[in-house]
Amino acid sequence: MRTRSTATALAVLFSSAALAAAPAHADTVQPLPVRSTGTVVVDGVHQRVFLSDPSGGKIVVTDYRGTVVKQLTALPGVLGLELSTDSTTLYAAVPGGTDAIVAFDTATATESARYPVGDIDPKYPAIAGGKLWFGYDSDSTGIGGNIGSIDVTAPEPTVALAQDPQSPWFAAPMLDGAGGTLAVAIPSQSPSELGVYDVSSGTPVRTAHRTVDGGNTQDLALTPDGRQVVVASASPNSHAVYATADLSEDGTYPSDAYPNAVDIAPDGSVAAGIDGAYEPDVYVFKPGQRTTVREYDFGATDQLLAPAGLAWAPDGSRLFAVSHDYDGAYRLRVLEGPTKAVTKVTADAPATATRAKKLTVKGKVSSKAALPAGTRLSVTRTDLESPKGKALPQVTTKADGSYSFTDTPPAGGKVTYKVSYAGDAAHTAASGSDSATVSRSKATLSLNNNGKVYSYGKDVKFTAHLGKTYKNRTVEIWADPYGADKPNKRVKSGKVNSHGDLAVTLDLRRDTKLTAKFAGDARTATASATSTVWTRVSVSLTTAKQYKSVKTYGQTYAYFHKSTDPRFTTRMPYYKGRSHRLEIQVYYQGTWYDAGSEYFGLGTNGVSEVRYTGDHGQEVGYRLRVRSSYINGSSGDSVNSTTHGSWKYFLFTK
C-alpha cells in the first residue's frame, strides 16, 4: 500500500527550505485518537501527516511533531489515502456505504470534491500515469476485485471501472504508483500474488503477474524510478524485492520476522518495518544499499509497528511510524534524521589524577558509516572553577576513529571531560564523557565543646575554626537535637573571621550533635567536624500536706503527722512517653540507705503528683529524704543526660 507523498520537485524544494530554518528536534512520540490505522501519507508542503482510521471512520491530521491539529470525520471504513503530485489534494477511498473517492484540500483540510464510484468498495488509491487509480471489491456483481481510475485533471472527472477486463484479483488489490508504473498485490493472501501495469498511456496494460514466495502481504512500495517493487509480507523473514519488468526476484532488504510495512523516500531510501516484539521494529537502508544504516527499536515488547505504518517526509528529514500496544492504544513516532548513521563517542579519563599535573583522555568515534581521519571533535572540561564548562582545543580522530589529548586540570574534585561530534548529513551528532577525581589539599576544621555537659536552657557559644584554604572561606554550622521530632537544622552560615572562626550561640535543651561543614573549593577538599554536647533536664520537687517546715540537722525538714500521706509534685520538661524516678532514702546510724524507688509518668504539662502511702507510724523517729531524677534510657527516652533533682527532707511525728 502506498504510504508516501509524491510531491513535485518544487514542493520538495519548498519543504526543504522551510525545514532548514527550523531547529533540529529529537525523536518524539505522541498519542493518536484512533482505534485502527490504514494508511499514512505525508504532505511536505504544509508539513502535515494524514492517517486513516477505518474503525473510527475518520482521518487524523497531525503536524510534523505528531500533534493532532484536526480530525476529518463521517468517513465510514476510510482506508487508502493518496496525495496529488503537487500535494494540494488528499484523496481518500471510503468504502463503508459511501462508495466514493473523497478529495480534501490539504491547505485547509476540508472536503473539496467527491467522486461516487457506484456499488463497489474502493480501498487503495494510487497516482500513476496522470490518473488516480484505485483497487476495489465488486460487492454487488460478485466478480471479485478489479482496478478503477479517475482522470481528476479533466474538466469533468469521470470514473472508469473494470480497467483490467481479465482481472486476476479475487478481491480489492492494493496499489502503488511511480511514473507510468502501477504495482499491485492482494493483501492477506498466501502465497502472495503480484502484478505490474503500464499505465503511461492512460490505459492499464498488465505487463507482469505471478505468485511469489511468502504470504499475507501487508504493504508494498515502488522505487521512485518504478523499476523495483518492495513487498512486506508476513513471510519470509525479510522484505522481498522484485523487478517490475517481469517480477523476477531481485534480492531482499534484510529485516526480521513478520514484515508488515515498507515505504521508499523520493531519494530511494527504504524504510522496512516488522511486527516484532523482541527485535528492532524499523530498518532503514540508504539508496542502493542492502545493509541498514539505522535501526529503531521502540523499546518495549508491547510497542508494535502498525501494518503499513511507515511514511517518509518528502525531503527524507523524518520518518513517521505508527505503533500500538496490546490494549489498542496508538502512537505516532516522529523519527528525526533516519538516514543518518548512529554515531557513538566514547571517552576514557583516568579515575584519579593530581591537580596541576598532566593527564590523558582517550576515546573513539564509531559509526556504521565510517568517519574519515581528521574528523574534528569538540572538548569541554567541567569542574569547580568552570561549573558551566570550559571549551578546550578541538581534537581530531585518527584513521581508526580513535583520539587522545592531554590536559592539566587547574581545579581538583570531580573533573568531567565531554567530547562531542557535531554530526553531518550522513551521521548523527553524539558525545561521550568521563570524569576524573582530581586531588585537593586537605582542609583543617574543628568545632569546640565536644563531650561537655550543660544545664538545661544554658546559652552556649560554639566556635568552628577553619584553617588555610584556596578561595572559599564559608562555613556552615548545623545542630541536630536528639529526638525524632527535631530536625537537623542549619543554625549559622557565613565567612569565617580573620582568625578563621565562625561562632554561634545556642540555647541547649537537649543533647545535641553539632556539625561544622566546609564545602571545599577548587583546590581544597571538603571537610567536616562534629561536637556532641550533653544537656541535663530541669527537675524540681515540692512537698505538700506537711504541717510545718523546720530547719534542723543542717537541712529544712517538712514535718508530717503519721496519719498524713505526703504529696510529692515533680516538674520536668515533657517529652512523649517520659517518666521520672522517685527515690526515697532513710537515715540510720550516720548513713543514708535506699528505702525504695519507682518510675512515674509525666503529664503532657510536665507535672507528676505522687501520694506517699503506708503505715507512717513505723517511720516516726526516722529522718527521710526524697528526690526526682531523669535517667537517660530508663525514663522513657534518651534525648537528655541523666539529671538528679535536689533532695527534699521530711520526717513523721505522732
Side-chain angles (χ1 to χ4, degrees):
M1 184 189 307
R2 187 173 202 183
T3 61
R4 63 178 177 87
S5 166
T6 56
T8 62
L10 183 61
V12 171
L13 176 63
F14 287 160
S15 176
S16 299
L19 288 175
H25 296 285
D27 296 348
T28 58
V29 182
Q30 296 284 5
L32 287 172
V34 301
R35 292 183 290 169
S36 64
T37 56
T39 306
V40 186
V41 296
V42 182
D43 171 11
V45 173
H46 304 100
Q47 295 195 355
R48 291 290 184 261
V49 180
F50 298 90
L51 309 96
S52 63
D53 175 9
S55 297
K58 62 183 178 181
I59 298 171
V60 175
V61 187
T62 80
D63 60 18
Y64 263 26
R65 297 292 291 165
T67 302
V68 175
V69 296
K70 195 169 185 179
Q71 298 187 53
L72 311 176
T73 58
L75 302 169
V78 60
L79 182 61
L81 305 177
E82 177 68 305
L83 278 174
S84 63
T85 54
D86 60 4
S87 286
T88 60
T89 305
L90 173 73
Y91 298 101
V94 186
T98 301
D99 294 339
I101 303 295
V102 182
F104 296 89
D105 184 323
T106 54
T108 60
T110 56
E111 184 175 329
S112 57
R114 186 172 289 237
Y115 307 103
V117 295
D119 193 15
I120 61 170
D121 285 337
K123 293 183 177 178
Y124 304 105
I127 289 177
K131 286 186 177 181
L132 178 68
W133 305 86
F134 58 91
Y136 66 88
D137 286 314
S138 300
D139 54 356
S140 62
T141 62
I143 60 174
N146 210 314
I147 299 172
S149 68
I150 306 174
D151 185 358
V152 293
T153 63
E156 295 184 6
T158 57
V159 176
L161 301 179
Q163 293 292 284
D164 185 350
Q166 285 79 43
S167 172
W169 315 111
F170 78 92
M174 64 172 60
L175 314 178
D176 193 22
T181 301
L182 196 65
V184 183
I186 288 290
S188 302
Q189 175 180 307
S190 185
S192 296
E193 188 176 351
L194 298 178
V196 177
Y197 292 83
D198 181 352
V199 295
S200 56
S201 66
T203 300
V205 177
R206 187 170 1 118
T207 58
H209 175 263
R210 63 169 289 197
T211 298
V212 297
D213 290 339
N216 297 315
T217 300
Q218 303 285 300
D219 201 2
L220 82 165
L222 278 167
T223 55
D225 59 11
R227 294 182 178 181
Q228 293 175 322
V229 59
V230 183
V231 179
S233 297
S235 64
N237 297 342
S238 61
H239 284 65
V241 183
Y242 300 93
T244 55
D246 55 5
L247 288 179
S248 59
E249 297 177 5
D250 198 6
T252 65
Y253 284 98
S255 51
D256 215 303
Y258 310 119
N260 69 342
V262 61
D263 195 32
I264 303 177
D267 70 350
S269 297
V270 175
I274 69 167
D275 181 11
Y278 301 101
E279 302 82 21
D281 300 275
V282 179
Y283 304 77
V284 180
F285 304 84
K286 297 193 77 169
Q289 297 182 6
R290 296 294 174 95
T291 58
T292 58
V293 67
R294 192 84 173 263
E295 296 179 3
Y296 291 91
D297 192 322
F298 295 160
T301 56
D302 67 340
Q303 289 298 306
L304 307 174
L305 181 68
L310 293 174
W312 286 93
D315 64 355
S317 64
R318 295 167 176 82
L319 177 64
F320 299 89
V322 179
S323 67
H324 65 92
D325 60 23
Y326 295 120
D327 294 324
Y330 286 80
R331 298 172 176 85
L332 179 61
R333 298 172 180 270
V334 184
L335 310 177
E336 303 281 346
T339 59
K340 292 185 177 184
V342 175
T343 307
K344 181 180 180 181
V345 178
T346 62
D348 183 18
T352 59
T354 303
R355 193 191 68 78
K357 298 287 186 180
K358 279 188 178 181
L359 57 78
T360 300
V361 178
K362 57 187 178 179
K364 192 170 185 178
V365 182
S366 58
S367 175
K368 280 190 173 183
L371 285 88
T375 297
R376 291 184 174 274
L377 308 174
S378 299
V379 181
T380 303
R381 181 186 64 220
T382 303
D383 55 26
L384 293 172
E385 288 276 67
S386 305
K388 294 184 179 180
K390 178 180 177 60
L392 301 182
Q394 286 189 330
V395 297
T396 57
T397 60
K398 297 178 182 179
D400 63 354
S402 64
Y403 69 87
S404 67
F405 63 89
T406 61
D407 182 53
T408 302
K414 182 180 180 181
V415 179
T416 300
Y417 294 92
K418 182 179 180 181
V419 182
S420 302
Y421 169 61
D424 58 25
H427 303 86
T428 62
S431 63
S433 64
D434 197 18
S435 299
T437 300
V438 178
S439 64
R440 291 186 285 177
S441 61
K442 183 178 180 180
T444 59
L445 183 64
S446 62
L447 188 60
N448 66 343
N449 297 330
N450 184 49
K452 293 183 179 180
V453 182
Y454 295 97
S455 299
Y456 184 84
K458 176 73 173 179
D459 289 339
V460 178
K461 182 179 180 181
F462 294 88
T463 301
H465 178 77
L466 178 65
K468 184 179 179 181
T469 62
Y470 170 53
K471 285 184 178 180
N472 185 16
R473 300 297 290 164
T474 298
V475 170
E476 294 181 350
I477 301 177
W478 291 69
D480 188 7
Y482 279 35
D485 61 327
K486 296 289 186 181
N488 188 20
K489 183 179 180 182
R490 187 178 65 185
V491 293
K492 188 70 175 286
S493 177
K495 290 185 177 181
V496 298
N497 61 21
S498 59
H499 301 291
D501 296 335
L502 180 73
V504 64
T505 298
L506 299 181
D507 178 21
L508 296 180
R509 297 181 180 271
R510 295 188 186 178
D511 296 342
T512 304
K513 179 181 179 181
L514 290 98
T515 304
K517 299 179 180 181
F518 170 63
D521 56 34
R523 300 183 184 179
T524 316
T526 61
S528 65
T530 61
S531 176
T532 301
V533 294
W534 314 111
T535 305
R536 303 184 185 96
V537 297
S538 61
V539 183
S540 68
L541 177 67
T542 58
T543 62
K545 299 299 182 179
Q546 63 266 33
Y547 66 89
K548 68 176 181 178
S549 295
V550 176
K551 184 77 177 279
T552 183
Y553 304 115
Q555 302 289 343
T556 298
Y557 277 77
Y559 281 70
F560 294 90
H561 292 296
K562 66 178 182 179
S563 59
T564 301
D565 291 337
R567 303 292 198 275
F568 302 133
T569 300
T570 300
R571 288 178 172 80
M572 185 184 297
Y574 176 74
Y575 186 81
K576 185 177 180 180
R578 175 171 287 184
S579 60
H580 68 97
R581 187 181 74 177
L582 194 66
E583 175 185 7
I584 295 179
Q585 292 185 349
V586 59
Y587 187 79
Y588 180 71
Q589 294 183 352
T591 302
W592 287 99
Y593 292 95
D594 181 30
S597 64
E598 189 172 344
Y599 283 88
F600 297 93
L602 291 172
T604 56
N605 60 355
V607 176
S608 169
E609 184 178 286
V610 177
R611 179 181 176 186
Y612 180 42
T613 62
D615 183 2
H616 302 312
Q618 297 181 13
E619 298 171 299
V620 173
Y622 291 96
R623 292 154 55 188
L624 300 120
R625 66 180 183 180
V626 61
R627 72 175 178 183
S628 281
S629 300
Y630 167 83
I631 308 300
N632 182 286
S634 297
S635 286
D637 63 79
S638 299
V639 302
N640 286 97
S641 295
T642 295
T643 308
H644 299 290
S646 58
W647 290 104
K648 295 296 183 180
Y649 296 85
F650 66 100
L651 51 77
F652 290 97
T653 63
K654 292 183 179 179

